[in-house]
């Protein structure tokens, strides 16, 4: 379906989403002054994926927004990736800047060479190199997200990652996917690239709901039930035991609380010991 205006508008929206997708994560890292829970391998894989994806989109003569989109992905992924070394490994600003600069320049040179090679192949009616770039970019993008699946499996929670970032990235995939559909020539592999990542992000959303939202809801329901039970007990029962119901409910932190922290556990245990001594 050849609708140039729709392709450009949708491609631009997708590019904008990919332009700002990692900004919430970068801001969170800055505010926390750490990157705990963020997979640096995922960020590096995405930075690498931008190289073959950029070459594929340019050689395939996609709309200008989709040609720029992979370059933005690579730059933001490299920034997020180097934050891991700056905050967690305590690298200096100079070292981080030099390291990212060298890698960025290397990626730019490789992509430029790939574009010329792919276009030359197309002119000679050799399309397998273009297909290969599309496949490689799909594998790298998917591997980046799948790396986070492994972290979810190991820790049984979605830690550290911004779901604002996930939502924006998924939206960028959707708009880019639809944009490819409106290209002069329907590119099946291009649609597979964006659709695959979108499906994987839907899985991360589902894991977040299961591991983070479900325990929070259970804790709320449990607290409500305990509150109802304590209000129904006679006040004399609490007096006879020498300990109020309020104290017994709040001294021991719930094992299902998603807001539980080590400091809160220590404080709770200290208060219990003080009550026992008295």
């Amino acid at each position: 379906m050849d609708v140039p205006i729709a392709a450009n508008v949708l491609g631009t929206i997708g590019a904008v989403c990919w332009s700002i997708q990692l900004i919430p994560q970068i801001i969170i890292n800055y505010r926390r002054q750490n990157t705990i829970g963020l997979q640096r391998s995922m960020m590096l894989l995405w930075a690498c994926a931008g190289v073959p994806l950029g070459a594929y989109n340019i050689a395939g003569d996609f709309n200008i927004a989709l040609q720029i989109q992979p370059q933005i992905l690579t730059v933001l992924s490299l920034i997020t990736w180097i934050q891991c070394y700056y905050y967690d490994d305590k690298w200096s600003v100079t070292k981080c800047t030099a390291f990212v600069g060298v890698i960025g320049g290397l990626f730019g040179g490789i992509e430029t060479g790939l574009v010329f090679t792919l276009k030359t192949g197309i002119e000679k009616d050799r399309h397998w190199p273009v297909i290969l770039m599309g496949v490689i970019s799909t594998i790298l993008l998917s591997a980046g997200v799948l790396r986070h699946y492994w972290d979810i499996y190991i820790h049984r929670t979605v830690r550290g990652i911004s779901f604002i970032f996930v939502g924006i990235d998924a939206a960028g995939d959707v708009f880019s996917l639809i944009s490819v559909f409106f290209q002069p020539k329907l590119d099946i592999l291009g649609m597979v690239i964006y659709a695959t990542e979108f499906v994987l992000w839907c899985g991360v959303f589902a894991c977040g709901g299961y591991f983070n939202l479900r325990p929070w809801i259970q804790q709320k329901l449990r607290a409500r039930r305990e509150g109802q039970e304590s209000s129904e007990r006679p006040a004399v029962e609490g007096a006879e035991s020498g300990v109020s119901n309020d104290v017994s409910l709040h001294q021991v932190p719930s094992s299902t609380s998603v807001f539980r922290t080590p400091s809160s556990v220590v404080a709770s245990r200290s208060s219990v010991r003080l009550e026992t001594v008295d």
Side-chain angles (χ1 to χ4, degrees), residues 19 30 39-40 75 87 90 180 185 187 193 200 244 267 276:
S19 299
Y30 171 76
Q39 293 298 328
R40 61 182 70 183
V75 171
Y87 291 122
K90 307 304 179 184
V180 174
K185 181 181 179 181
D187 193 308
I193 291 172
L200 290 175
S244 71
T276 303

Side-chain angles (χ1 to χ4, degrees), residues 47 84 88 109 115 128 154 246:
C84 298
D88 296 342
V115 169
W128 68 264
I154 293 297
D246 288 338

Side-chain angles (χ1 to χ4, degrees), residues 250-269:
H250 292 89
Q251 280 180 341
V252 182
S254 171
S255 61
T256 60
S257 174
V258 296
F259 301 108
R260 181 179 181 183
T261 61
S263 59
S264 68
V265 174
V266 172
S268 299
R269 290 175 178 173

Side-chain angles (χ1 to χ4, degrees), residues 1-2 176-187 191:
M1 184 181 295
D2 186 4
S176 300
L177 173 62
I178 301 174
S179 173
V180 174
F181 182 75
F182 286 106
Q183 284 286 118
K185 181 181 179 181
L186 187 63
D187 193 308
M191 297 177 68

